């Protein structure tokens, strides 16, 4: 399958997952009240927001292209957790809803403009973005008891790590994909850039 067709197939699938009917989290806007509810909310939240889903796609591809298969997802998951914790501890901290989609736009632009950016710089950018996404994720859990909070963080960590690492390994290990990772990165960057710009403008 060609690079453009892979990107074209992946992006709409993620957008379908990002249904506006689930705009907040898996509990229909209600704060999780138990361990299972917290876990399900954590597992589902990154997949039901288009900005978060697209960003996970970008991380997986960047991790494969830069060789940071473990370091980049780990940096994102860690800083997301910090972002959630800070917002949970300081619920009055302002949340700017456009910031998370803006990170998708910025990273997509970077994927096109500077595909040869050093691994360390990409990891730093992804880590900063993780704080922003974590702040947004925290809106699903602020006010919850410690047990659902811990389960929510576990769910977030599991789903984000699984998706980004699995995608990175897939690109690296499938015959032919590793050699064309740069092309896949650029093709996906084009799609992400256009979609992110449109949805950011209409959000």
């Amino acid at each position: 399958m060609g690079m453009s067709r892979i990107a074209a197939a992946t992006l709409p699938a993620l957008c379908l997952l990002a249904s506006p009917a689930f705009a907040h989290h898996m509990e229909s806007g209600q704060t999780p009240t138990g361990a299972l509810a917290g876990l399900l909310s954590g597992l589902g939240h990154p997949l039901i927001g288009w900005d978060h889903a697209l960003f996970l796609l970008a991380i997986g591809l960047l991790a494969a292209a830069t060789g940071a298969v473990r370091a980049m997802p780990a940096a994102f998951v860690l800083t997301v957790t910090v972002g959630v914790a800070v917002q949970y501890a300081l619920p009055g901290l302002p949340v700017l809803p456009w910031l998370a989609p803006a990170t998708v736009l910025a990273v997509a632009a970077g994927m096109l403009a500077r595909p040869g950016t050093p691994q360390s710089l990409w990891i730093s950018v992804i880590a900063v973005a993780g704080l922003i996404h974590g702040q947004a994720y925290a809106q699903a859990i602020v006010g919850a008891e410690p047990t659902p909070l811990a389960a929510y963080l576990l769910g977030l960590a599991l789903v984000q790590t699984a998706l980004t690492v699995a995608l990175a390994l897939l690109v690296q290990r499938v015959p032919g994909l590793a050699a064309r990772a740069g092309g896949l990165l650029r093709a996906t960057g084009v799609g992400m850039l256009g979609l992110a710009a449109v949805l950011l403008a209409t959000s």
Side-chain angles (χ1 to χ4, degrees), residues 12 24 44 50 60-61 69 87 94-96 106 119 122 124 135 146 162 165 178 182 202:
H24 199 164
W50 67 266
L61 293 173
V69 174
Q87 190 66 34
V95 177
L96 302 177
Q119 180 189 100
W122 269 124
S124 298
Q135 187 189 32
V165 172
T202 57

Side-chain angles (χ1 to χ4, degrees), residues 15-202:
C15 291
L16 287 174
L17 287 170
S19 170
F22 300 100
H24 199 164
H25 55 89
M26 299 297 285
E27 293 297 301
S28 302
Q30 302 299 314
T31 301
T33 57
L36 180 59
L39 180 65
L40 290 176
S41 187
L43 290 171
H45 198 164
L47 300 178
I48 59 178
W50 67 266
D51 46 354
H52 303 308
L54 282 175
F55 206 77
L56 291 178
L57 171 64
I59 291 172
L61 293 173
L62 283 169
T66 61
V69 174
R70 294 177 178 81
M72 190 174 291
F76 184 70
V77 171
L78 177 61
T79 54
V80 162
T81 303
V82 172
V84 172
V86 169
Q87 190 66 34
Y88 181 83
L90 303 170
L93 197 65
V95 177
L96 302 177
W98 54 268
L99 269 181
T103 63
V104 179
L105 193 65
V107 168
M111 290 161 68
L112 295 172
R114 298 294 300 274
T117 299
Q119 180 189 100
S120 58
L121 181 55
W122 269 124
I123 291 175
S124 298
V125 169
I126 294 301
V128 172
L131 293 172
I132 295 171
H133 283 254
Q135 187 189 32
Y137 287 144
Q139 301 310 297
I141 201 68
V142 167
E145 296 297 324
T147 296
L149 170 64
Y152 178 77
L153 291 174
L154 176 62
L156 275 180
L158 288 174
V159 71
Q160 291 176 127
T161 301
L163 289 175
T164 53
V165 172
L167 178 58
L169 291 175
L170 177 68
V171 172
Q172 283 195 334
R173 296 182 180 180
V174 171
L177 281 185
R180 301 192 297 181
L184 177 58
L185 195 66
R186 288 189 293 274
T188 304
V190 170
M192 286 176 60
L193 189 64
L195 184 61
V198 171
L199 294 178
L200 183 61
T202 57

